[in-house]
Amino acid sequence: MIDTLPPLREIIARHDLRAKKALGQNFLLDLNLTARIARAAGDLSACDVLEIGPGPGGLTRGLLAEGARHVLAIEKDARCLPALAEIAGAYPGRLTVLQGDALRIDPLAHLRPPIRVVANLPYNVGTELLVRWLTPGEWPPFWESLTLMFQREVAERITAQPGSKAYGRLALLAQWRTQARIALTLPPEAFSPPPKVSSAVVHLTALPEPRFPADAKTLERVVAAAFNQRRKMLRAALRGLDGAIEARLARLGIAPTARAEEIGLEAFCALARDFAAHPPR
Ligand code: SAM
């Protein structure tokens, strides 16, 4: 037992929190597991934690029991608020709950750095937020780390290396400015109701600076073009960006016949720098 609050099954029954598919609700009921996920986020005792989608509060309880200084939880489903208020009562002054859509709420006014983000979200919302958190106007971002649950297949796309099928935009976007790894994988039965596929928790730590210099927008443009037609050779996939792409690639020592999935982060950054220094005519 990680706290003296009632078991999650009891809370869910008492507040009639039947999972709603439209809100992507698959709840974690095992508090040992939620404590493990909280630990994957590192030492939280000196951090504010932004939790998105607390639901009945299993992960929230894990975060608080593991010592988070303060948790700001944003939940769309108003039915969950009484259950979350009970948790706030058990941890006076350490949990703030906002009701609303995390895609529309700016949480920064409620958070004091250093900030870590932890979430078990519906997968579509999770990917959209991940991309936003990885592409802020300025780097380093507001967060030190992100600890996020995804479908296992998405987690593998975030951490993929060149040469693998999963390698693409998400891997490059994540790995350019973070250290990303899969912290744990979970079978469908860990959730109630169980989803169709396995899940995985990805832990991303913000690097102080990008691994290789490049302009973020140019890099995104080059990577998007390269992977939009991932089966094509680079000289064909990038022709839309530059009619003279073959010479540019050759000058940079990148084989024009290579495919995007064979090209590492360093070469993509070199390509982005070259585009910025020598824009196509
Ligand atoms: N964190 C809880 C757990 O681990 O048991 C619940 C996880 S459940 C997969 C996702 C939660 O995100 C649900 O409680 C759902 O209501 C909430 N949610 C869905 N869309 C949201 C959004 N746009 N903003 C905030 N919360 C959202």
Side-chain angles (χ1 to χ4, degrees):
M1 201 167 63
I2 64 165
D3 56 35
T4 53
L5 289 157
L8 282 157
R9 274 185 205 288
E10 193 183 314
I11 291 188
I12 287 170
R14 184 148 44 83
H15 296 288
D16 197 16
L17 296 178
R18 254 165 303 180
K20 280 192 185 165
K21 220 175 172 180
L23 284 167
Q25 292 181 335
N26 302 95
F27 299 134
L28 289 166
L29 302 185
D30 177 351
L31 291 169
N32 290 313
L33 189 55
T34 62
R36 252 177 85 198
I37 298 169
R39 284 197 293 276
D43 180 3
L44 302 175
S45 58
C47 296
D48 274 15
V49 176
L50 171 61
E51 187 197 356
I52 312 283
L59 185 51
T60 321
R61 286 166 64 172
L63 292 165
L64 290 163
E66 289 299 317
R69 177 177 72 190
H70 190 264
V71 176
L72 173 69
I74 303 180
E75 172 56 58
K76 195 168 176 181
D77 185 354
R79 296 180 309 155
C80 299
L81 297 182
L84 295 167
E86 271 183 55
I87 304 171
Y91 291 95
R94 290 178 56 203
L95 172 62
T96 305
V97 179
L98 298 180
Q99 196 238 322
D101 182 347
L103 293 167
R104 292 161 169 270
I105 292 179
D106 177 5
L108 286 186
H110 305 270
L111 291 164
R112 193 159 57 94
I115 299 163
R116 293 183 180 229
V117 179
V118 181
N120 172 20
L121 267 171
Y123 299 122
N124 54 346
V125 182
T127 311
E128 180 164 351
L129 283 171
L130 171 67
V131 171
R132 280 196 205 176
W133 288 326
L134 289 173
T135 53
E138 283 181 17
W139 199 268
F142 75 85
W143 47 270
E144 278 187 348
S145 68
L146 308 172
T147 306
L148 308 172
M149 183 87 72
F150 289 102
Q151 282 180 330
R152 189 171 174 171
E153 175 259 323
V154 177
E156 283 167 358
R157 282 205 277 133
I158 296 167
T159 55
Q161 295 301 308
S164 68
K165 253 191 170 162
Y167 182 65
R169 288 171 75 174
L170 213 43
L172 286 156
L173 188 61
Q175 294 171 36
W176 181 41
R177 296 193 284 198
T178 79
Q179 177 80 42
R181 63 180 172 81
I182 294 183
L184 60 149
T185 52
L186 301 176
E189 310 79 72
F191 301 85
S192 172
K196 288 204 174 69
V197 294
S198 296
S199 302
V201 175
V202 183
H203 183 70
L204 305 102
T205 311
L207 298 173
E209 285 175 37
R211 283 181 207 277
F212 307 103
D215 169 64
K217 292 230 157 27
T218 312
L219 180 63
E220 167 61 13
R221 212 154 42 89
V222 172
V223 168
F227 283 97
N228 270 346
Q229 306 181 62
R230 63 183 295 145
R231 301 305 318 148
K232 286 202 173 162
M233 294 176 187
L234 281 183
R235 67 178 175 206
L238 298 180
R239 190 162 292 140
L241 290 186
D242 179 8
I245 189 66
E246 195 142 357
R248 188 189 293 272
L249 290 167
R251 180 155 47 78
L252 294 170
I254 302 170
T257 51
R259 291 182 171 77
E261 64 194 35
E262 299 165 54
I263 305 298
L265 176 61
E266 188 169 7
F268 271 116
C269 291
L271 196 49
R273 284 198 304 276
D274 195 69
F275 265 102
H278 311 286
R281 279 178 233 194

